[in-house]
Amino acid sequence: MKLLIIDDERSIRNSLKEILMDEGYETDVAEDGAKGIEMALKEKYSVIFCDIKMPNMDGIEVLERLIAEGVDSAVIMISGHGDIDTAVECIKKGAFDFIQKPLDLNRILITIKNATDKVSLVKETKILKKKVYGQEMVGNSAPLQHIREIIDKVAPTDARVLITGSNGTGKELVARNLHQKSLRSQMPYIEVNCAAIPSELIESELFGHEKGAFTSAVKQHKGKFEQADGGTLFLDEIGDMSLAAQAKVLRVLQEKKLSRVGSDKDIQVDVRVLAATNKNLKEEIAKGNFREDLYHRLSVILISVPSLDERKCDIPVLVEFFIDQICAETGMPHRTVEKDAMQMLVDKPWTGNIRELRNVVERLLILSGDKITASDVSSYVY
C-alpha cells in the first residue's frame, strides 16, 4: 500500500512519513499542493494526507483538483485547532476524514484502515457494476462514435429504442449504456431474451401470473414488466416473440398497464422499453410474423450496430482490451501480440463478430507462448 503526505511543514511531513514507514507503509511526501497533485496523477496512492493551511494552494484547492482529475485515493485532511469548520467543509467536498494536530498514532492508523476499506469497497462496487452492466463500448471507429453520440442524446429521454445488428455485435452493450446514462440508472435494469423462452411461457414471463392460473402456477409471480417498474426493460431478440405476446406488449406500451395471466386486475407500470433484434422486422411484418403497429411503437429511435468487419480499425484496440480483461479475470500472464499476428487478426473475416473475437483471444492466450505470433494465429484461429 502506497501513501502520500502533502504538507508545507518539513517537520510534520517527515515525522508522519517516519511513523507510517515504521508501520510498513510505503510513503512519499510533497512540500506543496502543486507538487502533491502532480505526484497523485503519476502514482497510484491508496491514501493521501493533505494539510489544510498551505501557501499558494491550500488543502481545499488540492482536494477539489484531485476530485476533478478523477483521483480515487481516500483524502485525509490534516487540520489545526482553528481549522475544524474548514475540515468539515472538506468532508462535504469529498474528503474521507480529517485528523487534528498534534497527530495521534492510533487515530492515524485507524483512519488509514477505514479509508483503505472504503477504497476497496468502491473498487469492488465498480467491478460488480461492470459485471452487471458491462463495460463501455471499446473502439474509436466512425460508426462507433456515431452510436455514442446517439446514446448521449437519447439516454436522458424516455424514448423507446430499437437496436438492430447481427449476433455478437454488442446490441446488449448499447442497451446497457442507454440505461446507465439515463435518469433511470438507479432503478432496475431487466433483460429478457425472447428467443430463449418457449412461446407458451413468454406471457407469464413478461406479465406475471396469479396462483393457479395454469397447472404449474403454484404461487403468484411478478413478470419482467413489474420487476422493471421505474427502470428499463430490455427485450432482446424481440423478432422471435409470438404474435399473442406482441399484442400484450403493445397494450402495455400504449396504456402503461398490464394484467397478469389468470387475472383481470390492471397494474400500472412505468417502464422504459429497449428492444433488439438480428432480424429484418420489415420483412417479418411482410410475412405476417411481426405487428407493424408494435414496430412503430418500438422504433422511435433506431440504432444499427455495425458488424466487426465494418469497423476493422477497432480490432487492435479490442484485442488489447480482451487480453487485459481475460488476464485480470483468470490470472494468466499478460502477453503481447506481434505486429504481423495482429494484422492477420485484422484481415480475418469475423462472421461471429465481437463475441467470436473474444473467444479467439482467449484461445490464443491459453495456447500461445510468451508472445502471440503469426504462427499462433495460423495454428489456432480457424
Side-chain angles (χ1 to χ4, degrees):
M1 183 190 299
K2 204 166 189 179
L3 312 181
L4 174 64
I5 302 163
I6 307 173
D7 199 309
D8 62 310
E9 293 186 46
R10 181 186 294 176
S11 60
I12 290 180
R13 66 174 181 265
N14 287 345
S15 61
L16 183 54
K17 179 180 179 179
E18 288 177 11
I19 290 170
L20 295 175
M21 291 189 74
D22 286 343
E23 294 296 324
Y25 295 110
E26 186 179 351
T27 309
D28 291 337
V29 294
E31 64 274 12
D32 57 47
K35 180 66 175 175
I37 291 169
E38 180 186 342
M39 294 173 69
L41 293 176
K42 288 181 179 178
E43 290 283 344
K44 187 76 173 175
Y45 295 103
S46 298
V47 177
I48 297 174
F49 289 90
C50 183
D51 191 21
I52 289 178
K53 285 191 175 178
M54 294 185 292
N56 301 323
M57 183 184 292
D58 65 23
I60 292 180
E61 292 177 272
V62 174
L63 175 66
E64 289 174 339
R65 279 286 305 280
L66 291 173
I67 292 173
E69 293 287 350
V71 175
D72 56 6
S73 312
V75 182
I76 299 170
M77 310 305 294
I78 301 173
S79 66
H81 288 295
D83 301 329
I84 300 302
D85 290 341
T86 310
V88 172
E89 185 66 23
C90 289
I91 300 293
K92 292 179 181 177
K93 289 180 179 289
F96 175 75
D97 202 349
F98 66 90
I99 296 178
Q100 281 185 263
K101 298 176 184 176
L103 302 176
D104 176 75
L105 175 59
N106 288 331
R107 175 68 197 279
I108 290 170
L109 297 179
I110 290 170
T111 306
I112 290 174
K113 183 183 182 305
N114 292 340
T116 51
D117 286 348
K118 181 198 173 186
V119 170
S120 297
L121 184 61
V122 169
K123 286 180 180 176
E124 287 172 9
T125 302
K126 287 180 179 178
I127 292 169
L128 181 60
K129 281 185 176 179
K130 281 186 177 180
K131 286 182 179 178
V132 174
Y133 294 119
Q135 297 82 17
E136 288 296 315
M137 293 177 293
V138 177
N140 300 301
S141 62
L144 206 59
Q145 294 285 23
H146 179 62
I147 289 175
R148 287 193 184 104
E149 289 170 7
I150 295 175
I151 289 173
D152 288 340
K153 290 178 182 177
V154 174
T157 73
D158 267 349
R160 290 183 284 276
V161 181
L162 179 62
I163 307 161
T164 62
S166 303
N167 286 331
T169 52
K171 299 186 293 295
E172 302 91 340
L173 201 53
V174 172
R176 290 183 188 128
N177 274 263
L178 282 164
H179 174 72
Q180 280 184 280
K181 295 185 177 183
S182 76
L183 301 178
R184 298 171 179 260
S185 60
Q186 301 304 310
M187 300 301 286
Y189 173 78
I190 305 295
E191 291 186 29
V192 181
N193 187 333
C194 301
I197 303 171
S199 57
E200 63 271 16
L201 295 179
I202 187 73
E203 290 184 42
S204 169
E205 191 68 21
L206 290 175
F207 312 112
H209 61 252
E210 296 293 342
K211 181 179 179 180
F214 46 87
T215 305
S216 58
V218 294
K219 62 180 180 179
Q220 186 189 74
H221 167 69
K222 286 186 178 182
K224 300 299 185 184
F225 270 95
E226 280 187 82
Q227 293 172 34
D229 191 27
T232 303
L233 179 66
F234 175 47
L235 300 175
D236 196 11
E237 302 303 348
I238 196 166
D240 293 287
M241 183 181 287
S242 69
L243 287 169
Q246 289 176 36
K248 285 202 169 186
V249 169
L250 181 63
R251 178 185 179 236
V252 176
L253 297 182
Q254 289 172 331
E255 303 176 11
K256 295 187 176 181
K257 60 185 179 182
L258 59 86
S259 56
R260 296 181 188 139
V261 176
S263 172
D264 294 327
K265 181 183 176 183
D266 284 334
I267 300 169
Q268 292 291 134
V269 288
D270 172 24
V271 177
R272 183 188 191 178
V273 173
L274 309 175
T277 183
N278 62 356
K279 294 184 175 181
N280 185 324
L281 290 188
K282 289 188 176 179
E283 290 181 1
E284 295 299 309
I285 291 168
K287 294 175 184 175
N289 296 330
F290 201 83
R291 295 182 61 115
E292 186 172 8
D293 47 4
L294 177 58
Y295 172 79
H296 291 303
R297 284 279 177 178
L298 293 171
S299 60
V300 176
I301 303 292
L302 276 168
I303 296 179
S304 178
V305 184
S307 67
L308 190 54
D309 287 337
E310 294 174 298
R311 43 181 287 219
K312 290 269 190 186
C313 62
D314 287 334
I315 289 176
V317 182
L318 283 162
V319 169
E320 294 298 334
F321 172 79
F322 288 137
I323 288 174
D324 290 342
Q325 185 187 64
I326 294 165
C327 290
E329 289 176 357
T330 63
M332 280 192 282
H334 192 279
R335 290 180 179 83
T336 57
V337 183
E338 292 187 348
K339 190 174 180 181
D340 52 351
M342 184 69 80
Q343 190 58 51
M344 290 175 70
L345 292 173
V346 171
D347 293 339
K348 179 190 182 301
W350 294 97
T351 54
N353 293 296
I354 297 172
R355 191 175 296 144
E356 181 188 5
L357 177 63
R358 191 191 187 282
N359 291 341
V360 164
V361 171
E362 186 169 7
R363 186 188 309 149
L364 288 169
L365 284 170
I366 293 168
L367 299 176
S368 300
D370 295 337
K371 292 183 178 180
I372 296 173
T373 66
S375 174
D376 293 324
V377 176
S378 296
S379 300
Y380 306 129
V381 178
Y382 345 106

